[in-house]
Structures are given as structure tokens and as C-alpha cells.
Amino acid sequence: GATAAAKALAPTACTTIEEIGSTGIGGLILGFLALTATTILMIAKAANTDPERRKYYFCNTFICGIATFAYFAMLSGQGWTAISGCRQFFYAHYVDWLLTTPLIILNLGLIAGQDFVTIAAVCGADVLMIISGYMASVSVVTTVKWFWFLFGIGMFMPVVYSIARTFRETVIVRKDPEVLELYGKVAWLTIIIWCFYPIVWLFSEGFASFSVSFETVALMIMDVVAKCAFCFMITSAHESLGASGPVSHSREYV
């Protein structure tokens, strides 16, 4: 029955496991180096800036620092397990994303001047999205796997909407063209790159069409762009990051 089928698919039934190859290892090394360098630069930037702007660099430091730890773990042969289909699965990515994607959202919210309640709500949806992706990856029963995936996509939609619309409307209210330009760049960078993650998942943990090495390299490229490029775009707009605390929305009724 269904139980027997599930046992046959379970990782414990594997005699061999599809593991990462030399190309994937090379990708992990490049990712580790890029994230390490960016972390060091963000620490230096945080140490040499005023308190008002320091909060952005603190976020950037931990965004890249946590990812650096995750890549070091994967390079060291840690942070992985076997999943259905006898495939090596690096859950270290999900530990990384569970911690760093809320920090990216926090940084976007700080740039926008969004209220902290809204930022927290978006972070909550984001955390559920990451947890759903992890559960989908380790699920043995196919139906359960796809239910988790769809739930994750369901959580992804309000996150994208909030970054593209809610936060942006707050920036518009502030009437600061430099901040609006910066927010537009980092927000769309984040949205576009994040949209590729479920696509890679579909052809990796989903349909197992991509090799573990190809998946690893693809995720490395997306991680570096979503984190390192994100941080440098904020750094390049240093002068625009003035007073940008949460704004209170007021409306006139006529």
C-alpha cells in the first residue's frame, strides 16, 4: 500500500546517494569567498559610519555573515542529508535563508521607512515560506511534497506584494526621489532573484532534473546576487540613507 511505497522511496532505502561533484564544490568555494569578502567590507563600513546609517550595514553584515557560515558548513561536508530519490540535500541553505531573508526584508523596510508591525508581518510570511520549502524538500510522500510547495508559494505571494507595493507606497509618501530610486533598485533585484529559487527547486528537489552540482552552482549565483549585490547597491547609495525611520501615515478627508 501507500506505506510500503513510502518506505521504498525513503532515504533509508538508498544504497547509493547522488552527491555533489567537483563543479558544485567549486561553486561553494566561490560563494564562500564572495560572501566572506562582503561580510568583512560591511563590518568595516559599519565601523566607520554614523549611527543613523550603521543599522543598514549591521543588517548587511549578518545577511552575508550567516550565509558565509552556511557555505563553510557545506564545504566542510556538514549541513546535508539524503532525501527521497537518494539525493544529497543541503539543509544548511534553509538555515541560512530562514535567518537571512527576514534580515533582507528588514533592511528593505528600514530603507522604505516602513512601520515595524508591517515589517514583522512580512517576515512572518517569509519564515513560513522557508519552512514550507524545507518540508517539501524532505517529504517522502509525493502528494505531501507538492502540498508543502504550494503552501510555500502561497506565502511567497504576500511577501512579493509587500516588497513591490506596500513598502514602495511608504517610500512614495516620504517624497524623497533618491531613496525611491534606491528602494526601487534593491526591491526589484530581490523580487527577481527570489523568483528563481522556486524554479530551481522544481527541477532539483521537485522533479530531480538538475544534478546536485548544477543546483548548488545555481543557488550560489542567486545567493551572491541576492546578498552581495544587494549589500553593495545599498553601500553605493550611502548618502541617500539619511533619516528614514518608520513614518506615520496621515490622510486628509475632504
Side-chain angles (χ1 to χ4, degrees):
T3 305
K7 288 182 178 178
L9 290 170
T12 52
C14 297
T15 54
T16 58
I17 297 172
E18 180 191 352
E19 296 185 348
I20 190 171
S22 57
T23 302
I25 295 295
L28 290 177
I29 292 172
L30 290 176
F32 173 74
L33 293 175
L35 289 160
T36 300
T38 307
T39 301
I40 293 170
L41 288 171
M42 290 302 117
I43 292 172
K45 196 71 176 177
N48 293 285
T49 191
D50 58 276
E52 180 58 41
R53 295 178 174 88
R54 190 169 293 146
K55 58 190 176 187
Y56 304 104
Y57 299 117
F58 278 157
C59 283
N60 288 348
T61 296
F62 286 105
I63 287 168
C64 292
I66 291 168
T68 299
F69 276 38
Y71 272 78
F72 178 76
M74 291 184 284
L75 272 172
S76 302
Q78 300 171 311
W80 72 272
T81 187
I83 58 171
S84 177
C86 303
R87 180 185 181 92
Q88 187 177 27
F89 168 66
F90 287 100
Y91 61 80
H93 278 304
Y94 287 81
V95 177
D96 166 5
W97 300 332
L98 187 67
L99 298 172
T100 58
T101 54
L103 287 173
I104 291 173
I105 291 170
L106 173 60
N107 221 350
L108 289 169
L110 290 173
I111 293 170
Q114 188 64 53
D115 66 276
F116 289 113
V117 173
T118 302
I119 294 173
V122 179
C123 287
D126 173 75
V127 167
L128 290 176
M129 174 186 75
I130 301 301
I131 293 173
S132 298
Y134 170 80
M135 293 303 295
S137 299
V138 299
S139 294
V140 175
V141 180
T142 304
T143 306
V144 175
K145 174 191 289 285
W146 292 110
F147 268 118
W148 277 118
F149 176 76
L150 291 175
F151 186 72
I153 294 298
M155 292 295 97
F156 183 49
M157 300 311 292
V159 172
V160 170
Y161 178 86
S162 299
I163 295 173
R165 184 75 182 270
T166 308
F167 286 13
R168 186 173 183 277
E169 287 178 348
T170 302
V171 182
I172 293 172
V173 169
R174 292 173 57 197
K175 298 180 179 179
D176 187 328
E178 290 185 352
V179 174
L180 180 60
E181 181 183 2
L182 169 62
Y183 181 81
K185 289 179 180 178
V186 291
W188 282 109
L189 171 77
T190 300
I191 291 170
I192 292 170
I193 293 299
W194 283 12
C195 283
F196 282 101
Y197 282 93
I199 295 173
V200 171
W201 186 94
L202 275 173
F203 293 100
S204 300
E205 281 71 39
F207 300 122
S209 301
F210 292 165
S211 67
V212 176
S213 284
F214 186 92
E215 177 193 13
T216 300
V217 172
L219 291 178
M220 179 276 293
I221 293 170
M222 292 187 292
D223 281 345
V224 169
V225 174
K227 294 180 172 73
C228 299
F230 176 90
C231 291
F232 283 115
M233 287 173 73
I234 292 175
T235 303
S236 68
H238 178 82
E239 297 304 322
S240 301
L241 301 173
S244 57
V247 298
S248 58
H249 297 273
S250 60
R251 298 182 180 176
E252 295 183 2
Y253 295 91
V254 294

Coordinates of all heavy atoms in Angstrom, one line a residue, residues 44 121 190:
A44 N 33.6 46.7 8.1 CA 34.4 47.9 8.1 C 33.5 49.1 7.8 O 33.7 50.2 8.4 CB 35.4 47.8 6.9
A121 N 5.2 41.4 10.0 CA 4.2 40.5 9.4 C 4.7 39.9 8.1 O 4.5 38.7 7.8 CB 2.9 41.4 9.1
T190 N 15.7 42.0 -5.5 CA 15.3 41.0 -4.5 C 14.2 40.1 -5.1 O 14.2 38.9 -5.1 CB 14.9 41.6 -3.2 OG1 16.0 42.3 -2.6 CG2 14.4 40.5 -2.2

